[in-house]
Amino acid sequence: MSHSISAFQAAYIGIEVLIALVSVPGNVLVIWAVKVNQALRDATFCFIVSLAVADVAVGALVIPLAILINIGPQTYFHTCLMVACPVLILTQSSILALLAIAVDRYLRVKIPLREEEGVRPHHSPGLYCAISCCRLPWEGGPEPCLHPPGYKTVMTPRRAAVAIAGCWLLSLVVGLTPLFGWNNLQEVERAWVANGSVGEPVIKCEFEKVISMEYMVYFNFFVWVLPPLLLMVLIYLEVFYLIRKQLSKKVSASSGDPQKYYGKELKIAKSLALILFLFALSWLPLHILNCITLFCPSCHKPSILIYVAIFLTHGNSAMNPIVYAFRIQKFRVTFLKIWNDHFRCQSEPPTDEDLPEDKADD
């Protein structure tokens, strides 16, 4: 059956398509930059790639599905439910990737760095030998710890990969929970049977018609969104405190250059905290509207407010590459190099400025 599209729907679709056209290429560029620049290969940028993959999927999958739902096709209940679940999976993946990034930045400033990394250890080595030793139990058991491990010893590429895989697995479990039974099927079936119909219900596919608001508020928001966001805020506050504390110390002649290291960490931490702030700013309005729907069913929610909240959630996927380009020099230099090499056909030989791993961000 054909559906006529109103002018309002056409405007909605146009904005969604614009967001997708910014989000997908921008985040593909982030993934590309990490692939081609060896300086972007540490754990933090691996977690950023995981976040970028989720954002690419938002532009390439979630936004087309959202447009489909907005048109309102008639579908079977479980078909509509499967259309609604991807956004839950990808949102959770983004939250867990942001949490992993926050924990990684905390480890970079908390764990004592070895002398050869330029910063004198300033914590008790026994503590870190106890919690991280040199191997995890599933990596062959502990081995003697003769020195306090540095960040690169604790956060190995293998452990980062395990963390990323764990984040995605947990996101699948959280996002697919409605398919396991926590949904509105019983309410829809009661209305379906009351109308004298038989078989699986056929409905106008809408998110709130298939996804339980109890699930969205009590489980999704109160368990898997709000606590991680609050934890990340506490982690970044601790990161800034530790960095400021180190920068305020007097530097001895034999301690290398900790001021340079912590100065760079401060700038990167500010950029990543901005990513977290934008994520919270983009997603909290929609979750607050869900709380209003659950706790005050009679309250009127203006349609324009709902659409703005939806645009914010989808638009967040397009924000991160812009922040990386303007705030993190390693990304900025690599983006420009990719542009010159592959789109302007003006390959430039690498210079000192192309290797910014030892240079603090502007």
Side-chain angles (χ1 to χ4, degrees):
M1 183 168 67
S2 62
H3 294 269
S4 60
I5 298 177
S6 67
F8 186 82
Q9 283 180 315
Y12 167 81
I13 293 172
I15 294 173
E16 289 281 39
V17 169
L18 181 61
I19 292 173
L21 290 177
V22 174
S23 175
V24 174
N27 285 286
V28 167
L29 189 61
V30 170
I31 299 169
W32 193 352
V34 174
K35 183 179 183 298
V36 301
N37 189 347
Q38 291 288 342
L40 295 172
R41 295 291 178 84
D42 66 17
T44 296
F45 297 108
C46 291
F47 296 132
I48 286 177
V49 166
S50 179
L51 182 61
V53 169
D55 287 338
V56 168
V58 169
L61 177 64
V62 171
I63 288 179
L65 292 178
I67 292 173
L68 181 64
I69 289 178
N70 182 260
I71 295 174
Q74 297 287 326
T75 67
Y76 288 113
F77 180 90
H78 284 95
T79 302
C80 184
L81 191 59
M82 286 188 287
V83 169
C85 281
V87 67
L88 302 174
I89 298 170
L90 297 172
T91 302
Q92 194 59 50
S93 174
S94 297
I95 292 172
L96 294 178
L98 288 169
L99 180 58
I101 290 170
V103 172
D104 177 72
R105 302 322 293 183
Y106 174 78
L107 292 176
R108 284 190 69 96
V109 300
K110 185 70 173 180
I111 290 181
L113 297 172
R114 299 182 190 176
E115 293 287 350
E116 63 264 30
E117 288 179 307
V119 183
R120 176 177 294 176
H122 52 274
H123 295 286
S124 169
L127 172 64
Y128 292 98
C129 289
I131 64 173
S132 60
C133 226
C134 294
R135 291 180 184 172
L136 295 175
W138 58 82
E139 295 173 327
E143 63 182 21
C145 191
L146 303 179
H147 49 69
Y151 163 79
K152 292 181 180 179
T153 304
V154 174
M155 185 55 71
T156 62
R158 180 179 178 182
R159 292 175 185 174
V162 169
I164 291 171
C167 289
W168 278 98
L169 182 61
L170 187 56
S171 301
L172 284 170
V173 173
V174 174
L176 294 179
T177 295
L179 280 176
F180 302 147
W182 198 345
N183 53 53
N184 291 333
L185 180 59
Q186 289 185 352
E187 293 85 345
V188 172
E189 281 182 332
R190 280 197 294 267
W192 181 254
V193 172
N195 290 332
S197 303
V198 294
E200 183 177 356
V202 176
I203 60 172
K204 181 180 179 181
C205 187
E206 296 174 349
F207 187 85
E208 291 186 11
K209 190 168 288 186
V210 294
I211 300 294
S212 166
M213 276 299 114
E214 286 81 3
Y215 162 83
M216 286 302 301
V217 173
Y218 292 125
F219 185 69
N220 190 279
F221 183 47
F222 286 168
V223 176
W224 292 106
V225 174
L226 194 56
L229 287 178
L230 294 176
L231 179 59
M232 283 183 269
V233 170
L234 294 177
I235 290 174
Y236 276 112
L237 289 176
E238 178 69 7
V239 166
F240 291 135
Y241 168 76
L242 291 172
I243 292 175
R244 294 292 187 186
K245 183 179 178 181
Q246 292 302 318
L247 289 175
S248 65
K249 289 183 178 181
K250 293 184 178 180
V251 184
S252 64
S254 60
S255 64
D257 193 0
Q259 301 289 79
K260 179 181 178 181
Y261 175 83
Y262 284 108
K264 182 172 68 174
E265 285 301 312
L266 178 61
K267 292 175 180 178
I268 294 178
K270 285 180 178 178
S271 300
L272 297 174
L274 176 60
I275 296 291
L276 172 61
F277 171 76
L278 291 174
F279 183 89
L281 189 67
S282 299
W283 279 96
L284 285 178
L286 187 60
H287 282 289
I288 291 171
L289 289 175
N290 288 338
C291 290
I292 294 173
T293 300
L294 179 64
F295 299 126
C296 184
S298 61
C299 294
H300 173 66
K301 296 181 298 182
S303 296
I304 187 65
L305 200 60
I306 297 173
Y307 278 105
V308 168
I310 293 173
F311 287 143
L312 282 174
T313 61
H314 295 167
N316 179 254
S317 64
M319 296 177 189
N320 293 347
I322 299 172
V323 174
Y324 301 148
F326 282 95
R327 298 279 306 181
I328 300 180
Q329 186 185 14
K330 292 178 182 180
F331 272 119
R332 183 166 61 248
V333 170
T334 310
F335 288 166
L336 289 174
K337 190 174 189 310
I338 290 172
W339 173 258
N340 289 330
D341 288 353
H342 297 278
F343 298 99
R344 295 183 60 193
C345 299
Q346 294 181 3
S347 180
E348 298 177 359
T351 64
D352 291 341
E353 293 183 355
D354 293 329
L355 304 172
E357 56 268 17
D358 295 325
K359 188 186 294 182
D361 292 16
D362 295 329

